[in-house]
Amino acid sequence: MEETLGKRISSNRKRMGLTQDRLAELLGVTAQAVSKWENDQSCPDIGTIPKLAEIFGITTDQLLGAVPAQPQETEAEKEEAKEEEAKEDDNAVLKINLSYGRKATLEAAVWLLLAGGIQLLCNYKGWERMGLWDTLWTTGLLTFGLFGIYPKFDLFRLCCGLAGGYFLLRPYGMLDDAMVKPVLLVTLGVLLVVKAFCRPRKEPVRIHRGGSSKSRCSYVTSDEGFSSNASFCERNHLVSLPRLSQGSASVSFGEQNLDLRGCGEIADGCHLDLDCSFGELNVQIPRTCRVVPRVDTSFADFSLKGEPSPDAAVTVYVDGSVSFGEITVSYI
C-alpha cells in the first residue's frame, strides 16, 4: 500500500507522542484540520510543511516522501559491513570517543598541552620564552584554526591557525619575514582555489526516538527527556514531549538552539544538564517556569534573559559548565 502524506503525518505524530490537539496547537490550526490531513481529506498548505518537518525532526523531503526508501540489508551484507568497519578501526592511528556532558574536550586538551609543552621546552632548553598569556593566545589561535579543517573546511579558521602559528614562532627567530609574507599569500591563494572548486560535503545527521547515535550531531528523545549533541555543526531543535522532566545538551565547536515551548508539560524540579565548549548554546523556556542556574564558567559567559511570569509555579534547575563559549537561557 502506498504511503500517503496523511499517513506520514499520523505516524510521525504518534512517534513524537503528540495528540492531534497538541499538534494543532503547535501549528496554530484546528484539531479538525489535522484529522483531515491524516485521513487524506485535505493537505496542509505550503507554509505549514516546514513547520511540521521541524516538529517531527525530519526534512521536508522525508515528510513529502521524496526520499527513496533504503533497501534492506541482507545478513551477509551486514557481516561484510562489520568486517570493513573492523578493518578501518585496526588501521586507525587514534580513535577517540567523546561522551556527552564532558567539560574537557579534545580541542581544549590539545590547546593546553601545546601551550604547556612550549613553556616546559623553553625552560628545559634555556630559551628565552614568551609570557604565559602570549603563549596561551597564540596556541589557542593555532588550535582553533587547525580544528577548523575537519570535518568541514573553513577558510577563516585556517587563516586564524596560520596567524597563530606565525605569531607563535616569530619571537623564537624561526621565521624570516622576507619569506613569510609571500608564502602566506601563495597559501591563501591556493586555498581559495581549492574552496572554489570543492563541493561542500553534507554531514549526516541521525534523528530518532530512543537508542543511541554515533553521529557527530544527534537528537535523542525518551519518554520524559531528551539528549542532544552538536559537534562541529549548527542545529535547531523544537523539543516536543508530552512531559519533560530531564534533558541534556552538549556543544563542541558549534551552535545549538533548543526550544522547550513544544512540550505539553514541564515537570516541577526538571533538571537540564548543559555543556558548551568553544561554541554557543541557546535554550528558550516558557515564562511559566522559573530557572535556577548552577553553571560553572571558564573564560566564558552564561546569561539568563527575560523574567518569568509572577505566578510561575514550575522550577527548572539548569546545571552544567561552559568553557570558551556562551550559554544563554531566555524566557519566551
Side-chain angles (χ1 to χ4, degrees):
M1 182 181 295
E2 181 182 359
E3 187 179 24
T4 64
L5 174 60
K7 289 184 173 61
R8 284 190 290 273
I9 294 175
S10 177
S11 62
N12 279 284
R13 175 181 62 79
K14 294 176 181 177
R15 176 178 61 85
M16 298 300 295
L18 299 173
T19 64
Q20 289 185 347
D21 290 336
R22 182 56 182 162
L23 180 59
E25 182 181 349
L26 292 174
L27 294 171
V29 298
T30 63
Q32 289 78 8
V34 175
S35 177
K36 289 183 179 180
W37 297 344
E38 295 185 354
N39 291 309
D40 295 312
Q41 297 177 356
S42 65
C43 294
D45 58 60
I46 192 65
T48 307
I49 296 294
K51 296 180 182 178
L52 277 169
E54 181 182 1
I55 292 173
F56 295 152
I58 59 177
T59 65
T60 54
D61 287 343
Q62 290 173 321
L63 181 60
L64 295 173
V67 179
Q70 297 294 329
Q72 295 292 328
E73 288 185 325
T74 64
E75 291 297 327
E77 290 174 335
K78 291 180 180 179
E79 291 297 328
E80 183 178 353
K82 290 180 179 179
E83 291 177 1
E84 291 295 330
E85 184 177 354
K87 291 179 181 179
E88 291 179 359
D89 290 342
D90 292 338
N91 295 330
V93 177
L94 178 63
K95 182 177 180 181
I96 298 176
N97 182 21
L98 296 178
S99 61
Y100 302 158
R102 290 187 179 274
K103 182 178 180 179
T105 61
L106 176 61
E107 296 82 357
V110 170
W111 169 50
L112 295 176
L113 288 172
L114 183 61
I118 291 176
Q119 292 282 305
L120 289 175
L121 182 62
C122 291
N123 290 337
Y124 177 74
K125 293 291 186 178
W127 296 341
E128 182 181 353
R129 60 186 178 91
M130 293 189 297
L132 179 60
W133 171 246
D134 290 331
T135 304
L136 283 174
W137 79 260
T138 52
T139 53
L141 195 60
L142 175 62
T143 307
F144 175 76
L146 292 179
F147 277 92
I149 301 175
Y150 179 83
K152 183 179 179 181
F153 178 79
D154 190 319
L155 180 60
F156 169 73
R157 290 182 61 177
L158 182 58
C159 291
C160 290
L162 292 175
Y166 172 76
F167 289 114
L168 177 64
L169 298 177
R170 185 180 180 185
Y172 298 104
M174 298 182 183
L175 296 177
D176 183 2
D177 287 343
M179 291 295 296
V180 168
K181 294 179 181 178
V183 169
L184 284 177
L185 291 176
V186 172
T187 303
L188 292 177
V190 172
L191 291 174
L192 286 173
V193 172
V194 173
K195 183 176 178 64
F197 286 95
C198 287
R199 294 181 179 179
R201 184 179 65 178
K202 294 183 178 180
E203 182 178 355
V205 180
R206 302 176 186 177
I207 301 175
H208 54 92
R209 183 176 179 86
S212 60
S213 174
K214 295 183 180 179
S215 60
R216 300 182 70 86
C217 297
S218 62
Y219 175 63
V220 184
T221 62
S222 59
D223 292 338
E224 294 187 2
F226 70 91
S227 177
S228 180
N229 175 54
S231 180
F232 294 95
C233 61
E234 180 179 347
R235 290 293 177 264
N236 300 308
H237 294 298
L238 175 66
V239 182
S240 302
L241 293 172
R243 188 175 189 270
L244 176 66
S245 61
Q246 62 180 354
S248 65
S250 175
V251 176
S252 177
F253 283 89
E255 180 179 350
Q256 185 170 188
N257 300 294
L258 294 171
D259 190 345
L260 305 185
R261 292 175 295 173
C263 297
E265 176 189 359
I266 298 181
D268 187 25
C270 174
H271 281 264
L272 298 180
D273 186 10
L274 308 180
D275 181 83
C276 181
S277 298
F278 294 94
E280 183 177 344
L281 176 58
N282 301 303
V283 180
Q284 295 180 337
I285 194 167
R287 296 180 65 245
T288 54
C289 301
R290 186 179 303 276
V291 174
V292 177
R294 299 177 294 196
V295 180
D296 296 326
T297 61
S298 177
F299 297 98
D301 183 41
F302 171 81
S303 58
L304 183 61
K305 297 184 177 180
E307 295 290 339
S309 300
D311 57 347
V314 176
T315 301
V316 176
Y317 297 98
V318 176
D319 299 317
S321 62
V322 51
S323 303
F324 299 94
E326 181 179 0
I327 293 181
T328 303
V329 178
S330 303
Y331 290 107
I332 302 296

